[in-house]
Amino acid sequence: MIKLHNSLSRKKEIFKPITEGIVKMYACGPTVYDYAHIGNFRTYIMEDVLRRILKYNDLSVLYVQNITDVGHLVGDGDTGEDKMEKGAKAAGKTAWEIAKFFTEEYLKDSHKLNILDPNVSARATDHIADQIAMVKKLEELGFAYKISDGIYFDTSKSKNYGEIAQLDKEGLREGARVEKNPEKRNETDFALWKFSPKDKKRQMEWNSPWGVGFPGWHIECSAMSTKYLGETFDVHAGGVDLLPVHHTNEIAQNEAVFGHKTINYWVHGAFLLVNGGRMGKSLGNAYTLVDLEKRGFDPLVFRYFVFSASYRQPLNFTWQAMEGASRSYENIIQKISDILEEPLTVDKNYLAIEYVNKFKELINNDMALPEALSILWEIIKDKAVPNKIKINTIANFDEVLGLSLIEKAVTKKGEGFNIPEEVIALSKERELARSNKDWKKSDEIRKKIIDMGFEIKDTDAGTKVSLIK
Ligand code: AMP
Ligand code: ZN
């Protein structure tokens, strides 16, 4: 049983997917006008862990994340420059060039943090027609109106506008942080389609039934999530700042088009802070993963650091805290490497089941990672658990933690024991194939492993991988 805090009810709820065994999940991705900062990555790591926990529970997850490469304006509202065009100007490049560059950088950093790639990574600019179609639908249904700078959503027509944020009208107005626009019918109304300015040409603009322009920021997530996941899906995640405006508006759009509730669980991650305040690109106090690497930190130390607090609690970033996390992470790797025995045995049935149960109970309890880490420490220190069982149990935990614990320990052990991560991954895959009695696949994987210079033996104690001598 998985329990998850749902921002809709503000309670921890028992998680039940719409279709048994399958979870459809969407998360708001980066706006690619600059490097993602480590605050953003705290949220992406939380989403990655949630996805891994769902998989760990034998659910198959269809995970979609968007890439915002147009329409996100500087003020998060409907005024100000487009972040992409502003970023491009600052870099002396085109908006298309910086979108490509920062999307690649984002993926590189995600990989360094062991964040698994989404099943679908959807770019806003690849889905302009879908967004126009949704705005058209909203217009047909009477939710949209035109003013001089664009097509707007009439929030007074929405049944429960702002329910998720549980803010009164004042709060929503404040949350919206929009400059007053006297043409709008309600202060909380937001742009669905913005017209290109008459006096200058935008780099990113498209024809539409209403005139040349670009989509509003919120419509991309509604259009792309429902395109790939259907009109009702299970989980939508993001950082807590998105709740009062972006997610409130996504809900308003979806429910207007489909006439019913469309997303069952909303999961919001708390902020990474610096000196007790928000870390933000625009505040000039944002560190990137490369900044951390320049100071000598392994990116996975940051992933480990993120696990030191519940995802719902703000976490303060300091270099001192990173030093502490680094020592602790190194210590774990050292201890694992001390108990590694050659040949490495990979067997998913070779587990300390009481530890696995405790670990599972904690991660399934609204992702209690600090507590789950203490179980990791407990088993590492437990002298009563045989080494092979310990190693396999740690490898099992790492399916969720994604800290490359075994791979790093193997590397640390030295040359003679250097089984590459790829070979370990392949042997895990082969184990799975064998347990599914897929002998053809298992043989294919064995051949691949041999081609890479390793031999693989199936013994009573499990599968053993070693270097061909
Ligand atoms: P953005 O690129 O600004 O659209 O943000 C991408 C993601 O990072 C969103 O889910 C935000 O909620 C999240 N985010 C932004 N700043 C922080 C922060 N300081 N800590 C944690 N998450 C953040
Ligand atoms: Zn979004």
Side-chain angles (χ1 to χ4, degrees):
M1 185 174 62
I2 303 170
K3 283 183 261 168
L4 213 49
H5 184 272
N6 188 349
S7 304
L8 283 177
S9 63
R10 309 225 152 180
K11 286 198 189 87
K12 230 193 275 181
E13 293 179 14
I14 293 174
F15 178 73
K16 200 173 171 304
I18 298 163
T19 310
E20 209 185 315
I22 296 172
V23 180
K24 295 185 176 178
M25 173 170 167
Y26 184 88
C28 294
T31 307
V32 284
Y33 69 106
D34 199 346
Y35 293 97
H37 60 67
I38 54 173
N40 301 134
F41 278 113
R42 181 186 184 196
T43 298
Y44 304 136
I45 291 170
M46 176 277 284
E47 291 154 352
D48 180 63
V49 169
L50 175 56
R51 177 188 185 189
R52 286 168 179 261
I53 291 174
L54 296 166
K55 279 192 178 172
Y56 190 83
N57 282 271
D58 296 323
L59 295 161
S60 63
V61 186
L62 178 56
Y63 180 51
V64 180
Q65 191 188 45
N66 67 309
I67 302 276
T68 300
D69 56 358
V70 70
H72 192 166
L73 304 188
V74 168
D76 273 2
D78 297 315
T79 52
E81 246 180 304
D82 187 317
K83 288 188 178 188
M84 296 302 304
E85 306 234 346
K86 188 177 176 203
K89 222 182 285 164
K93 299 211 162 84
T94 69
W96 298 99
E97 280 165 346
I98 65 157
K100 183 169 180 293
F101 176 78
F102 287 117
T103 303
E104 280 164 11
E105 292 301 307
Y106 164 71
L107 290 175
K108 264 193 237 165
D109 284 353
S110 298
H111 295 158
K112 286 182 194 167
L113 288 165
N114 278 351
I115 293 174
L116 304 171
D117 284 338
N119 301 97
V120 180
S121 178
R123 263 195 301 261
T125 53
D126 286 340
H127 295 79
I128 299 297
D130 300 293
Q131 297 176 71
I132 290 176
M134 195 160 197
V135 178
K136 249 168 120 176
K137 187 95 204 180
L138 287 167
E139 192 181 38
E140 279 159 29
L141 293 165
F143 286 93
Y145 63 93
K146 183 176 173 176
I147 58 176
S148 55
D149 72 346
I151 307 294
Y152 280 70
F153 185 99
D154 185 342
T155 52
S156 69
K157 298 260 164 68
S158 174
K159 235 198 273 153
N160 307 312
Y161 183 74
E163 200 180 26
I164 189 172
Q166 288 191 4
L167 296 170
D168 53 21
K169 277 261 152 27
E170 278 312 308
L172 276 173
R173 268 184 218 134
E174 198 184 309
R177 278 180 290 151
V178 289
E179 277 172 36
K180 283 215 164 31
N181 180 340
E183 287 185 68
K184 285 199 317 193
R185 293 183 188 162
N186 312 284
E187 268 183 88
T188 47
D189 292 358
F190 55 90
L192 295 166
W193 184 264
K194 292 252 333 192
F195 300 134
S196 293
K198 294 200 172 59
D199 50 341
K200 59 178 188 258
K201 184 157 171 55
R202 280 177 53 92
Q203 297 181 29
M204 290 176 154
E205 59 182 14
W206 295 266
N207 282 320
S208 82
W210 313 279
V212 175
F214 58 100
W217 173 35
H218 318 298
I219 197 75
E220 69 173 87
C221 285
S222 285
M224 300 195 291
S225 63
T226 53
K227 171 173 178 145
Y228 293 105
L229 300 176
E231 65 177 68
T232 0
F233 61 94
D234 301 294
V235 184
H236 194 311
V240 72
D241 59 319
L242 300 182
L243 201 149
V245 184
H246 183 55
H247 290 164
T248 291
N249 293 346
E250 258 188 81
I251 293 174
Q253 293 168 151
N254 287 17
E255 296 192 357
V257 166
F258 298 111
H260 56 75
K261 178 177 166 185
T262 63
I263 300 151
N264 288 342
Y265 299 87
W266 284 86
V267 180
H268 288 101
F271 261 29
L272 184 71
L273 309 176
V274 203
N275 300 324
R278 175 182 172 164
M279 175 178 289
K281 271 175 215 167
S282 51
L283 302 173
N285 62 3
Y287 299 110
T288 63
L289 203 60
V290 171
D291 292 332
L292 264 53
E293 286 181 292
K294 278 189 191 145
R295 293 242 194 165
F297 291 106
D298 181 331
L300 292 179
V301 168
F302 179 70
R303 188 170 170 113
Y304 180 79
F305 168 68
V306 163
F307 296 162
S308 62
S310 150
Y311 76 96
R312 297 186 50 226
Q313 295 298 325
L315 174 63
N316 200 33
F317 175 85
T318 62
W319 292 110
Q320 213 182 352
M322 277 296 287
E323 297 282 356
S326 181
R327 275 195 299 274
S328 178
Y329 180 69
E330 280 302 315
N331 200 354
I332 293 178
I333 303 296
Q334 183 62 54
K335 290 202 157 54
I336 299 171
S337 124
D338 290 344
I339 56 165
L340 280 180
E341 288 163 8
E342 201 172 10
L344 190 64
T345 308
V346 186
D347 186 338
K348 74 178 175 57
N349 297 312
Y350 221 49
L351 299 173
I353 207 70
E354 333 76 75
Y355 278 103
V356 171
N357 289 344
K358 269 197 240 171
F359 180 82
K360 191 169 181 185
E361 194 183 319
L362 290 166
I363 54 165
N364 282 0
N365 185 10
D366 202 23
M367 303 192 253
L369 285 168
E371 293 80 0
L373 277 189
S374 62
I375 299 298
L376 172 68
W377 273 106
E378 248 180 64
I379 191 170
I380 287 173
K381 289 182 185 156
D382 189 343
K383 294 209 169 64
V385 180
N387 287 347
K388 281 204 168 76
I389 293 193
K390 223 181 239 192
I391 297 294
N392 277 285
T393 308
I394 293 168
N396 174 277
F397 292 176
D398 210 37
E399 286 171 23
V400 169
L401 301 174
L403 291 167
S404 296
L405 295 175
I406 306 296
E407 293 87 334
K408 295 263 180 189
V410 164
T411 311
K412 184 151 212 139
K413 193 91 187 170
E415 275 307 307
F417 206 102
N418 223 342
I419 299 174
E421 291 177 21
E422 223 180 322
V423 174
I424 295 174
L426 280 172
S427 69
K428 280 187 192 160
E429 211 183 305
R430 182 171 168 275
E431 269 300 305
L432 195 69
R434 279 168 56 82
S435 63
N436 292 334
K437 304 211 178 340
D438 186 348
W439 310 121
K440 188 167 165 264
K441 187 163 181 199
S442 149
D443 278 352
E444 279 168 15
I445 299 175
R446 173 199 285 271
K447 279 204 195 86
K448 255 196 227 167
I449 292 176
I450 293 172
D451 286 348
M452 291 169 87
F454 292 84
E455 59 187 353
I456 190 156
K457 282 197 191 108
D458 300 307
T459 69
D460 290 346
T463 306
K464 294 179 177 183
V465 184
S466 56
L467 199 64
I468 297 173
K469 300 239 165 72

